[in-house]
Amino acid sequence: MGRRRRHHKTSGAVKLNVTAMLDMAFQLLAFFILTFRPAPIEGHLSLNMPPPIPQTNVQSTQTVGTEGNSAPNLHALHLFVTATESGDVAQIRLESNVIAAGRLTPATVAGIGRRIAPLFAAGNVLYDRIQIEVDRDLRYEELLKLVDVCAQQKLPDGKPLGKVSFVEMQR
Amino acid sequence: MSQSSEGTAEPDLTPLLDMVFQLITFFMLVINFKGAALDQSLQLPVLGSARPLEWKGDYEPLMLNVDNEGRVKVFGAVVSAEKFITDEAADLKKKLKASGESSPKELPVPVVLRADKGTRFHLVNHVIKLCQDNGYVQFSLSAMTGTGEGGR
């Protein structure tokens, strides 16, 4: 009798009751499925945005960066952006020159980039940042298109400009 | 014969358990705890050149959601921008001091600015100025990277 019982114990496989574990696993799974929210595909435009500097005399930039001046006094390039009531771009001025008017399209933005780029090319570096004076009603979406084209400008050493300031335009 | 009729039918749950654990592992790996800080109701502008934020500093960036009425939201709650930014900057300065770093004039932490694409400039600029006044100079302006509609 005793011998038979011992025989049964050694030959029978040990069976774990996995039902409780499965219950818990399903609960965890339900939690994760219900709380799952895929991360949005967001990007960032990284900028160094120091506080804006008071507008200097733009005409004086003609004298800086001349030969023999090893540490030229760099200035901010000024862009002036006016807006319509609906928040679209009305006009963009580069210093005193109108460089775009009307709603921003990819072609307009590219054109602005072409106008700005030579100012940062080697030998012509008078500026180390772009200061955008913006109409208070301009929509952020439109502003970001301009900021993007400004941030893409390359300094003579190949580094991106990345230094942009905003000022609210006085009415 | 008698044994088979008495025995209960027990399905083998092991493969099922395996699969469930694999699913749990998947969801645990892709869960995004930082997603709670993002206001999904904002319609971000679309910018093809936007790149993922590569921040490897010791301190977390300051995340600000600005809706089209200029309200600043943090973890879904509308907060006073002035108080929140001032408190965060003071807290960061305290941490920098405690870790032995000299209190810099410019805080070494970026501000992640998530503003709705329809927000007027003066509302966004108000938040930017508050940050600058408190020593933040590095900004990461959030945008959708695709060419489709911004936001969700």
Side-chain angles (χ1 to χ4, degrees), chain A:
Chain A
M1 191 73 166
R3 188 177 292 170
R4 195 187 296 164
R5 199 177 294 148
R6 206 177 302 132
H7 175 72
H8 270 292
K9 272 185 181 171
T10 50
S11 66
V14 177
K15 278 195 173 180
L16 282 174
N17 187 2
V18 293
T19 319
M21 198 192 287
L22 198 59
D23 282 350
M24 184 205 68
F26 270 121
Q27 283 188 26
L28 276 172
L29 186 60
F31 167 76
F32 282 117
I33 289 173
L34 292 174
T35 58
F36 180 64
R37 196 183 280 183
I41 309 163
E42 276 185 30
H44 298 267
L45 191 61
S46 295
L47 294 172
N48 189 344
M49 297 205 306
I53 49 174
Q55 199 168 346
T56 54
N57 183 3
V58 177
Q59 301 307 320
S60 68
T61 55
Q62 300 301 320
T63 59
V64 296
T66 51
E67 275 181 48
N69 189 355
S70 57
N73 211 2
L74 298 177
H75 292 258
L77 178 69
H78 293 92
L79 274 179
F80 301 88
V81 187
T82 54
T84 60
E85 276 184 15
S86 59
D88 293 319
V89 169
Q91 190 186 66
I92 301 173
R93 278 190 295 126
L94 175 63
E95 300 297 355
S96 56
N97 304 315
V98 177
I99 56 168
R103 198 167 182 181
L104 281 183
T105 61
T108 320
V109 174
I112 295 167
R114 281 196 297 274
R115 292 293 294 269
I116 297 175
L119 302 171
F120 291 94
N124 291 335
V125 186
L126 301 172
Y127 309 105
D128 67 338
R129 68 161 78 179
I130 295 180
Q131 188 159 302
I132 310 177
E133 203 159 312
V134 190
D135 192 306
R136 70 193 308 274
D137 284 335
L138 187 73
R139 282 183 294 119
Y140 181 64
E141 183 182 29
E142 300 292 293
L143 174 67
L144 215 55
K145 288 177 191 168
L146 276 176
V147 174
D148 185 33
V149 75
C150 293
Q152 282 177 13
Q153 301 307 315
K154 294 269 193 317
L155 294 171
D157 59 3
K159 289 179 184 169
L161 176 67
K163 217 173 183 183
V164 180
S165 305
F166 303 132
V167 185
E168 192 175 319
M169 190 179 278
Q170 300 300 317
R171 283 182 167 175

Side-chain angles (χ1 to χ4, degrees), chain A residues 22 25 29 32 36 39-47 49-50 85 136-138 140-141 144 148 168, chain B residues 17 20 23-24 27-28 30 32 44 49 51 114 117 119-122 132 137 139-143 145 152:
Chain A
L22 198 59
L29 186 60
F32 282 117
F36 180 64
I41 309 163
E42 276 185 30
H44 298 267
L45 191 61
S46 295
L47 294 172
M49 297 205 306
E85 276 184 15
R136 70 193 308 274
D137 284 335
L138 187 73
Y140 181 64
E141 183 182 29
L144 215 55
D148 185 33
E168 192 175 319
Chain B
L17 197 60
V20 171
L23 282 170
I24 289 174
F27 282 110
M28 283 175 76
V30 298
N32 182 15
L44 298 182
S49 62
R51 295 283 171 268
R114 298 180 77 250
K117 64 182 182 182
T119 315
R120 301 297 170 129
F121 170 72
H122 67 102
Q132 288 171 335
V137 289
F139 287 81
S140 282
L141 310 179
S142 296
T145 52
R152 315 178 114 258

Side-chain angles (χ1 to χ4, degrees), chain B residues 3 11 18 28 34 42 59 66 76 85 89 98 100-101 105 109 111-112 115 125 127 129 132 135 143 151:
Chain B
Q3 270 191 338
D18 281 350
M28 283 175 76
K34 288 180 180 174
L42 295 180
Y59 305 101
V66 184
I85 295 167
E101 296 173 47
K105 197 180 168 192
V109 171
V111 176
V112 177
N125 195 39
V127 177
K129 272 203 284 190
Q132 288 171 335

